[in-house]
Amino acid sequence: MGTDMSQAIRQLNQDRGIPEELILRTIEDTLIAAYKHRFGNADNAVVQFNEENLEVSIFAQKRIVEQDGVYDPVTEIDLEEARVLNPDAEVGDEILVEIDPKQFDRIAVQSAKQKAHQTIRDIQKDSLYSEFKDKEGEIIIGYYQRERNGTIYVDLGKMEGILPKKYQSPREIYHVNDRIKALIAEVKKDSSGLQIVLSRTHTDFVRTIFELEVPEIYDKTVEIHKIVREPGFRTKLAVYSNREDVDPVGACVGLKGVRIQAVIKELEGEKIDILKYDPDPRRFIKNALSPAEVRDVIILDEGKHQALAVVSDSMLSLAIGKQGLNVRLANRLVDWNIDVKTESQFAEMDITAESRRAVSELFGDTEGFDDEISRISELPGVNASIAKTLLDNGIDFIEDFLGLSQEELETKGLKPAELEQLRKLIEEYVEIVEDDSYDDEQTDKEADDDGDESEPEEYECPECGAKITVDMSTCPSCGIGLSFEYEEEEG
């Protein structure tokens, strides 16, 4: 019997992975349950195993009382019976009396067996839960068993996992006994049992595949900044290197593309774009729109993360991608809202002053930007109705507005509060420089010319057609540099 018990313990340990200590505790709990069912109380029950754990016995711990003084035979024993077991027994001592399992009735034994089976199932569930919970986020290999309502059941050896329809790539078709490599996405335990949810669509699945195929990613020489994915169609991967002598993109591609081809094969031919992460949003956006070549990237609104990518006509469809997939993934990768335009489309756009600041910064020309805001409609946050009212009255430029009095402006149909609001915007966004040099020069000229009060001649800017005078070095409207040449009159 001892040999049978030891074999049963060993088999449970090997087949179900239950530790020997838990098996012994289950046996102990089972015997105590049977004892309690038989005698009504198990407070004095004691279970003992021999040194090799080959045999187990259950005892009742009883207090020795005077002969004929037993009131509770479950917990007490008289002195005469006790001395049969131990000649040195004395009244008041406690003694262990072995209980023959045959004293347990059939119902008690059946109840104990059910408790043992339930305990072993709970132990196994807890053990497997701990084992697989620690493996969440790791890749596991199993085999296709069956399919029901789109969900694939995968044999994982000790357990059966599920691969829900939503976590299956649309490219993949499986058959019975097919090998399936998947990510352990979630491990759940409830009253119905243990559930292991697998996935082949998570971005972490791609991340882990790269860690297996690219040693530089595994040892953190190259790190993955972010992965975005449209399962079955395209994945974009932004990487960077912690060492200057290691090319992060080249490390992921491998010699003759051997590494990236292994990943593509595992993903059943899904397209993969590997690009270099750059903290500069302009360069990062350029890289993110690969395989398209981007000419320029203009930051339209840094706070709202809005940018404009300019490409050649031949690159537009490639940059946008089929059904907008490429630019949509690029948006998610860089966390910016990217609008793609061709060079001709960009030339026709009427971009705002905020955008023109970005253009100036792009080409390294930010000096004098405030002078570029010359029209009222270009002021950030200007009320559109106010700008239109002024334009309808022939007041387009800020300079014209400032040259009119309050009374003259109010006759144009504007309220004092609206005029005050507009002046505040001008003060905030336009630097007004009052140049007294012209007045001094004109005064001297008037003195020399004996009071000639003629105004300086006006010309048109060759670039935008705005009014300019000879004392200007730059156009107040478009900012182009000005130079005037004079011809001496003959005679």
Side-chain angles (χ1 to χ4, degrees), residues 35-155:
Y35 181 95
K36 182 177 181 179
H37 191 278
R38 170 65 178 82
F39 297 105
N41 192 334
D43 292 342
N44 66 328
V46 177
V47 177
Q48 292 182 352
F49 296 89
N50 67 357
E51 292 182 0
E52 294 79 16
N53 294 327
L54 297 178
E55 294 183 358
V56 60
S57 302
I58 184 168
F59 299 87
Q61 185 171 342
K62 298 184 179 185
R63 185 168 55 87
I64 302 174
V65 296
E66 294 285 353
Q67 190 172 358
D68 299 329
V70 176
Y71 293 98
D72 182 4
V74 176
T75 60
E76 295 175 338
I77 185 173
D78 66 32
L79 180 61
E80 184 177 349
E81 290 183 20
R83 284 184 172 172
V84 173
L85 301 174
N86 182 2
D88 299 328
E90 297 292 342
V91 173
D93 293 345
E94 290 187 341
I95 190 171
L96 293 178
V97 180
E98 186 172 2
I99 303 297
D100 188 348
K102 293 180 180 179
Q103 296 182 39
F104 300 151
D105 56 37
R106 184 179 61 81
I107 297 177
V109 173
Q110 186 66 29
S111 176
K113 282 184 178 180
Q114 290 176 355
K115 180 176 177 59
H117 290 155
Q118 183 60 43
T119 302
I120 289 175
R121 281 196 296 269
D122 291 343
I123 291 173
Q124 185 180 16
K125 185 194 300 183
D126 292 341
S127 177
L128 289 173
Y129 176 78
S130 299
E131 178 182 345
F132 283 96
K133 190 69 176 177
D134 291 341
K135 293 180 180 179
E136 271 190 352
E138 297 181 8
I139 284 180
I140 194 169
I141 296 175
Y143 294 89
Y144 181 106
Q145 290 298 298
R146 66 187 187 282
E147 182 267 338
R148 187 172 65 188
N149 297 330
T151 297
I152 295 175
Y153 291 81
V154 183
D155 180 12

Side-chain angles (χ1 to χ4, degrees), residues 108-369:
V109 173
Q110 186 66 29
S111 176
K113 282 184 178 180
Q114 290 176 355
K115 180 176 177 59
H117 290 155
Q118 183 60 43
T119 302
I120 289 175
R121 281 196 296 269
D122 291 343
I123 291 173
Q124 185 180 16
K125 185 194 300 183
D126 292 341
S127 177
L128 289 173
Y129 176 78
S130 299
E131 178 182 345
F132 283 96
K133 190 69 176 177
D134 291 341
K135 293 180 180 179
E136 271 190 352
E138 297 181 8
I139 284 180
I140 194 169
I141 296 175
Y143 294 89
Y144 181 106
Q145 290 298 298
R146 66 187 187 282
E147 182 267 338
R148 187 172 65 188
N149 297 330
T151 297
I152 295 175
Y153 291 81
V154 183
D155 180 12
L156 302 176
K158 296 179 180 179
M159 277 291 298
E160 187 176 65
I162 61 170
L163 182 61
K165 181 70 175 177
K166 64 179 180 179
Y167 293 153
Q168 299 172 28
S169 170
R171 281 181 173 268
E172 300 166 353
I173 299 175
Y174 300 102
H175 303 91
V176 177
N177 294 327
D178 278 355
R179 175 179 173 274
I180 296 178
K181 182 185 288 187
L183 181 83
I184 299 178
E186 187 180 8
V187 179
K188 299 186 289 187
K189 182 176 66 171
D190 52 31
S191 57
S192 61
L194 185 65
Q195 189 177 68
I196 301 173
V197 182
L198 307 177
S199 172
R200 283 183 59 85
T201 60
H202 277 50
T203 54
D204 282 342
F205 178 65
V206 177
R207 183 188 300 272
T208 309
I209 292 292
F210 269 98
E211 288 176 354
L212 295 174
E213 297 293 340
V214 183
E216 290 85 351
I217 291 181
Y218 182 79
D219 64 17
K220 305 298 183 183
T221 301
V222 173
E223 293 197 45
I224 298 174
H225 171 71
K226 190 176 181 180
I227 301 175
V228 293
R229 186 182 181 204
E230 195 76 27
F233 300 98
R234 185 179 289 273
T235 290
K236 283 187 180 288
L237 188 83
V239 295
Y240 63 93
S241 176
N242 291 318
R243 285 173 45 184
E244 293 183 358
D245 59 334
V246 176
D247 174 22
V249 177
C252 294
V253 173
L255 185 63
K256 297 182 180 180
V258 63
R259 292 176 177 175
I260 188 64
Q261 288 302 323
V263 179
I264 291 173
K265 182 179 180 181
E266 181 60 48
L267 300 181
E268 299 291 341
E270 184 175 314
K271 291 183 175 64
I272 300 177
D273 298 331
I274 302 176
L275 54 104
K276 187 175 181 180
Y277 166 72
D278 198 301
D280 183 342
R282 292 181 183 85
R283 288 197 288 265
F284 193 21
I285 290 170
K286 267 190 178 183
N287 297 341
L289 285 170
S290 65
E293 294 181 7
V294 180
R295 296 288 181 86
D296 295 312
V297 173
I298 300 163
I299 304 300
L300 299 178
D301 191 323
E302 190 166 357
K304 295 180 180 179
H305 278 202
Q306 293 179 344
L308 177 68
V310 183
V311 300
S312 63
D313 291 351
S314 61
M315 285 287 169
L316 180 62
S317 60
L318 189 60
I320 295 176
K322 188 175 182 180
Q323 297 180 348
L325 178 60
N326 193 60
V327 70
R328 189 164 66 248
L329 287 175
N331 285 345
R332 290 163 51 193
L333 185 67
V334 302
D335 198 23
W336 279 68
N337 186 16
I338 307 170
D339 189 13
V340 181
K341 298 291 184 183
T342 63
E343 293 170 312
S344 58
Q345 290 172 335
F346 174 66
E348 296 173 359
M349 290 178 64
D350 181 18
I351 55 178
T352 62
E354 184 76 18
S355 305
R356 290 192 290 105
R357 180 191 293 273
V359 175
S360 299
E361 292 176 351
L362 180 66
F363 294 100
D365 180 19
T366 57
E367 185 177 356
F369 170 76

